[in-house]
Amino acid sequence: TDGNILGYDANGDPEAIATGSAGEVLTSGGAGVASAMAAAADGGWVFVENIEASASSTILCVDQNIVAGYDYLVVWEDLLSTTGDADLIMKFGTGATPTILSSGYEGQTLRALSTTVTGKGAESSQVDIIIAGGGAAGAAEKRYGSAVIYNPAAAEATAFRHECFYSTTNGSPSLLIGGGWQTGTAAITAIRFHPNASTIATGSFTTYRRKRT
């Protein structure tokens, strides 16, 4: 049959291993036991998509592709805005369009610059989450970071955490780290990133997912 793999039985005679289902992998049964197709292990982060930004006002990750029972990780690299002093903003969307949620974000973001640590977010209802602070445009001010969104497809408040490293206008290294939640209970269907001013000149957003159980 098309898709079968040849193996050998206990007598050493050739036999066909059943094709199995799409996405399954060949799994050993051990000595004296026939191999078989089985679901692949899914305990770590698995690639979902990559989006290259170029003069982009917004980046919409995993739009309508968020699956129940998974956490999601978005990693951004070489991120550069077209004008200086722009914050990178994260918001969530719900429904098929999606509808971007503009309230109900709670959390805290801390910024470390030289020997000073300051709060950049607030532990009260916010219109968005700042996940990367400002810095004048230029090669030295590219941002590198990530955000983990926990079980976004569940009909409950969605928790997240994030971190980002970048250089400020005068070349000083800066680190932002934080976390929080979106207090709404609708399932999240998309994750949106955008600068609070200008556009994203260059950079990439790569999304992964990890099975929760």
Side-chain angles (χ1 to χ4, degrees), residues 63-144:
D63 185 18
Q64 310 305 310
N65 195 30
I66 292 179
V67 180
Y70 286 84
D71 299 327
Y72 283 79
L73 166 67
V74 182
V75 178
W76 54 91
E77 301 179 74
D78 298 317
L79 205 61
L80 186 64
S81 59
T82 53
T83 61
D85 203 27
D87 293 331
L88 181 64
I89 303 298
M90 179 173 71
K91 291 185 177 182
F92 299 141
T94 62
T97 305
T99 299
I100 302 301
L101 300 174
S102 58
S103 64
Y105 299 92
E106 298 187 358
Q108 182 62 258
T109 300
L110 300 178
R111 177 184 178 183
L113 176 61
S114 185
T115 59
T116 303
V117 177
T118 56
K120 198 171 177 62
E123 293 182 328
S124 58
S125 183
Q126 300 292 299
V127 298
D128 52 36
I129 295 297
I130 299 172
I131 56 175
E141 285 74 48
K142 290 181 178 180
R143 292 85 182 271
Y144 302 84

Side-chain angles (χ1 to χ4, degrees), residues 133-172:
E141 285 74 48
K142 290 181 178 180
R143 292 85 182 271
Y144 302 84
S146 63
V148 177
I149 300 90
Y150 296 95
N151 202 20
E156 60 187 24
T158 300
F160 56 85
R161 62 177 174 83
H162 57 87
E163 59 271 336
C164 184
F165 175 81
Y166 62 99
S167 181
T168 60
T169 305
N170 61 8
S172 299

